[in-house]
Amino acid sequence: MGISISGMYSGMDIDGIVTELMQAARQPLDRLNQSKTKYEWQRDLYREINKGAQELSQKIFDGISMEKNLLARKGTSSNESAISVTPLAGSNQESVMMTVSQLANAKSYVGNKTVVNITGKIGSDGVLKFKATDGEGKESKEIQIEYKKDETLEQVLSRINQNKDLNVSAFYDSGTQKVVLTARDTGSKTDLEIVDSSTADIMKRFGFDTNMNVGTKLSGTSFQLADTGKDAEFTINGYQTTRTSNNFTINGMSYSLKQVTAPGEVVTLSTSHDVDKAVDTIKDFVDSYNALIATMNSVVKEKQNRDYAPLTDEQKKEMTEDQIEKWEAKAKSGILRGDMTIRSAFDEMRNDLSRAVGGVTLSQFGITTSSKWNEEPGKLIIDEEKLREALAKDPEAVYNAFNAKTSTEISVKSRWDRTASEQTKFENETGFAGRLRDALSNLSYNIEKKAGNDTSVLNSYSIGKSIVDIDKKIEALEERLENLQTRYYNQFAAMEQAMQKAESQSSYISSLFSSYA
């Protein structure tokens, strides 16, 4: 609005007068900006609640909805330093007896000659060609490793070490000046075969020169270390067997052999339901649920401070950051007081957890609603001792109560595609987790209709449309105010010109009178 004039002839503070006149005229614009700010605060608070709802829904899916959490099993060993066991999903094995007579180890090959100049250059381009046999005895296709003439023996050795298909680790021992190749897999079946003569020549330069020819397998040479390439040997429930690795799975149980058992020692390995993990999963869900409903309840019950309107830009200029923060905290209070979208979702979530699933209620597992209804409305309380007892006695019953499902044709539909009877059937037959996720999905849907999400354009949700409407009014009013200010300045400018003219005329008349004196 950059017009400014001084009261040269009138002596008036014209800028100050216009500013005061405009302050009065700008009050409707301030009210529009305050209304827009309130809409933005409402939108942001809706989105904050929606974020909490979506996080709780995901936590339900990742937590109490997963068998691996509520039906988890744990393994115990009478000698963890010798053998450990981890039950896999679906395992029903309860107990086994084991002994270990030999651990699996990896084959290792060492050159029978020293490498005097490991940093010496190869001298010509070439390709190493091998075939590798893994721990299960499966032979690979031809593996090729290119090298350049300017590379050193040490660099070529590094290329061998880095090739994952070759299944060996390679290093140069500077103490003995020898090269060592070790199979990455344990067991007696691993091997490495030389495919062509140029590869044999390079291996000879690495010190592997005994009987090193095309088709040579390292397992057949004289430089294989003696105590290598063994399979694990053990008994399980009296049956003697072997494995190429110390880590293996039998009948849904994952075993790890760590050391040979003492003569006559039999290790007992057993599995049981992991009650601790199930309790922690349920407690985590309850804590998250309580946090969300506490926020929802607080929002709809929070009192409004009608004496604190959103601050205008001019008001903020006169306040400190701390004062602004405290003022806006009071101004934001109660902006969603009595909101039916949130209140309805709160009631629905509470009812979803209070109704039985197949005759089973949460209270049977030690999960009840707080008796302090006024202070903690809807809050869940856990009797951990009772919950542990239920999980120890029948973990499947607890899991099914949370995760029972209605017929597929209903459960796959969204809430808005179900008929009234289908929705009733869904609510009656679905477990606590499914009901709650359905209610949270409904809350998110209703919130996003009102407040959108972070990627929504303004015209796609109701609060956004209101903001767009206010923006249009603000734009029109700002234009009128600019015109009004221009008119004020023009009027004062005209007054100044009139006063200047009057002063000139007065001076002229005075000069006439003085000439006749």
Side-chain angles (χ1 to χ4, degrees):
M1 295 182 182
I3 299 175
S4 177
I5 61 172
S6 60
M8 182 180 298
Y9 293 97
S10 64
M12 301 169 61
D13 180 8
I14 293 174
D15 283 339
I17 294 171
V18 171
T19 297
E20 289 182 7
L21 291 171
M22 291 304 300
Q23 283 178 344
R26 285 182 60 87
Q27 288 181 3
L29 179 62
D30 290 338
R31 287 193 291 270
L32 283 175
N33 279 311
Q34 288 171 327
S35 295
K36 178 181 176 179
T37 298
K38 283 186 176 180
Y39 277 127
E40 290 172 340
W41 286 347
Q42 287 178 339
R43 177 197 62 195
D44 294 344
L45 184 53
Y46 270 129
R47 290 182 181 180
E48 182 180 336
I49 293 170
N50 189 27
K51 181 181 178 182
Q54 292 173 343
E55 288 175 350
L56 176 58
S57 181
Q58 187 63 44
K59 179 160 286 190
I60 293 170
F61 180 79
D62 293 334
I64 57 174
S65 292
M66 292 292 179
E67 287 188 19
K68 67 179 183 180
N69 295 322
L70 294 193
L71 299 181
R73 297 175 70 84
K74 62 181 179 180
T76 57
S77 170
S78 62
N79 186 351
E80 286 284 349
S81 62
I83 312 171
S84 63
V85 62
T86 302
L88 304 179
S91 168
N92 293 316
Q93 187 80 30
E94 293 295 334
S95 179
V96 299
M97 314 288 282
M98 293 184 68
T99 65
V100 181
S101 56
Q102 178 176 282
L103 294 177
N105 63 5
K107 285 184 179 178
S108 196
Y109 312 94
V110 60
N112 60 342
K113 287 190 176 183
T114 60
V115 182
V116 177
N117 187 14
I118 192 67
T119 58
K121 293 188 177 180
I122 294 296
S124 61
D125 295 345
V127 179
L128 294 174
K129 296 180 181 180
F130 300 99
K131 286 184 180 178
T133 304
D134 65 17
E136 299 300 322
K138 182 180 178 182
E139 188 175 81
S140 70
K141 295 181 180 180
E142 184 177 284
I143 300 167
Q144 297 187 358
I145 303 174
E146 294 184 0
Y147 58 86
K148 302 297 183 183
K149 63 181 181 180
D150 290 332
E151 291 183 310
T152 65
L153 287 172
E154 190 171 35
Q155 287 174 313
V156 175
L157 193 66
S158 178
R159 284 178 176 268
I160 293 174
N161 190 47
Q162 293 170 4
N163 189 290
K164 302 304 180 185
D165 294 330
L166 200 55
N167 206 32
V168 298
S169 62
F171 73 94
Y172 171 72
D173 180 9
S174 59
T176 61
Q177 294 183 314
K178 290 185 178 182
V179 170
V180 181
L181 301 179
T182 303
R184 288 195 175 96
D185 289 350
T186 56
S188 61
K189 297 178 181 179
T190 59
D191 218 331
L192 193 64
E193 179 182 338
I194 308 302
V195 173
D196 65 357
S197 58
S198 61
T199 302
D201 290 340
I202 293 296
M203 292 300 288
K204 288 176 182 178
R205 293 181 66 175
F206 283 133
F208 297 92
D209 66 347
T210 301
N211 300 320
M212 185 62 64
N213 297 300
V214 176
T216 294
K217 290 191 176 181
L218 296 191
S219 60
T221 63
S222 61
F223 43 74
Q224 178 183 335
L225 294 180
D227 189 22
T228 58
K230 294 177 182 179
D231 294 336
E233 297 179 357
F234 59 96
T235 64
I236 180 167
N237 289 341
Y239 174 71
Q240 187 168 353
T241 186
T242 63
R243 290 293 185 276
T244 59
S245 171
N246 294 313
N247 301 294
F248 50 86
T249 298
I250 298 177
N251 197 27
M253 307 275 281
S254 177
Y255 297 94
S256 179
L257 308 185
K258 302 174 183 178
Q259 68 182 33
V260 173
T261 53
E265 179 187 14
V266 178
V267 179
T268 301
L269 301 120
S270 59
T271 65
S272 60
H273 290 290
D274 192 343
V275 174
D276 289 336
K277 184 171 184 179
V279 168
D280 289 343
T281 299
I282 293 173
K283 287 171 69 175
D284 187 40
F285 153 69
V286 167
D287 288 343
S288 298
Y289 172 84
N290 285 341
L292 178 61
I293 64 167
T295 298
M296 294 169 66
N297 186 63
S298 173
V299 163
V300 297
K301 288 187 174 181
E302 188 177 39
K303 292 183 179 180
Q304 291 180 319
N305 281 312
R306 299 188 183 279
D307 294 335
Y308 291 84
L311 295 169
T312 64
D313 290 340
E314 292 300 318
Q315 288 171 328
K316 288 181 180 179
K317 290 178 182 178
E318 299 174 359
M319 301 171 70
T320 65
E321 289 292 331
D322 184 59
Q323 289 173 328
I324 292 172
E325 184 177 347
K326 289 179 178 178
W327 181 283
E328 290 191 340
K330 293 180 179 180
K332 288 179 181 179
S333 64
I335 57 175
L336 291 181
R337 178 177 173 83
D339 182 84
M340 289 308 299
T341 296
I342 299 173
R343 177 174 288 177
S344 296
F346 175 89
D347 291 339
E348 183 180 5
M349 291 163 65
R350 185 193 61 189
N351 291 334
D352 283 339
L353 297 183
S354 65
R355 287 183 290 107
V357 176
V360 178
T361 64
L362 282 176
S363 62
Q364 292 174 240
F365 307 141
I367 303 174
T368 57
T369 303
S370 173
S371 58
K372 301 176 182 178
W373 178 251
N374 288 330
E375 300 172 31
E376 304 172 333
K379 181 179 180 179
L380 296 180
I381 305 295
I382 296 178
D383 181 337
E384 188 170 331
E385 183 177 350
K386 191 172 182 179
L387 176 60
R388 285 183 176 277
E389 182 181 339
L391 287 165
K393 181 179 180 181
D394 193 351
E396 286 82 4
V398 178
Y399 175 80
N400 290 334
F402 277 107
N403 296 291
K405 296 186 184 301
T406 188
S407 54
T408 303
E409 64 270 17
I410 295 177
S411 63
V412 297
K413 291 182 178 180
S414 67
R415 169 189 291 257
W416 306 279
D417 293 328
R418 300 178 198 135
T419 64
S421 61
E422 285 177 333
Q423 179 63 20
T424 299
K425 186 175 178 66
F426 176 88
E427 292 172 352
N428 289 338
E429 297 180 1
T430 302
F432 299 116
R435 290 176 186 170
L436 196 52
R437 291 193 77 210
D438 197 60
L440 292 168
S441 175
N442 187 44
L443 173 60
S444 290
Y445 174 78
N446 288 328
I447 283 179
E448 289 184 11
K449 283 200 303 183
K450 281 190 171 185
N453 54 48
D454 290 340
T455 61
S456 299
V457 295
L458 285 172
N459 275 319
S460 65
Y461 55 94
S462 59
I463 290 180
K465 291 176 182 177
S466 297
I467 291 174
V468 169
D469 183 57
I470 288 177
D471 280 338
K472 291 178 180 178
K473 292 178 180 178
I474 288 174
E475 184 179 359
L477 185 53
E478 283 179 338
E479 185 177 352
R480 289 200 296 272
L481 289 172
E482 187 171 352
N483 292 336
L484 177 61
Q485 179 173 287
T486 300
R487 189 169 75 247
Y488 280 147
Y489 273 117
N490 288 340
Q491 288 173 342
F492 279 109
M495 181 191 71
E496 288 287 316
Q497 290 174 355
M499 292 179 69
Q500 180 184 12
K501 186 177 182 180
E503 183 179 349
S504 297
Q505 289 175 341
S506 175
S507 297
Y508 175 71
I509 293 172
S510 296
S511 65
L512 287 177
F513 280 115
S514 63
S515 63
Y516 289 106

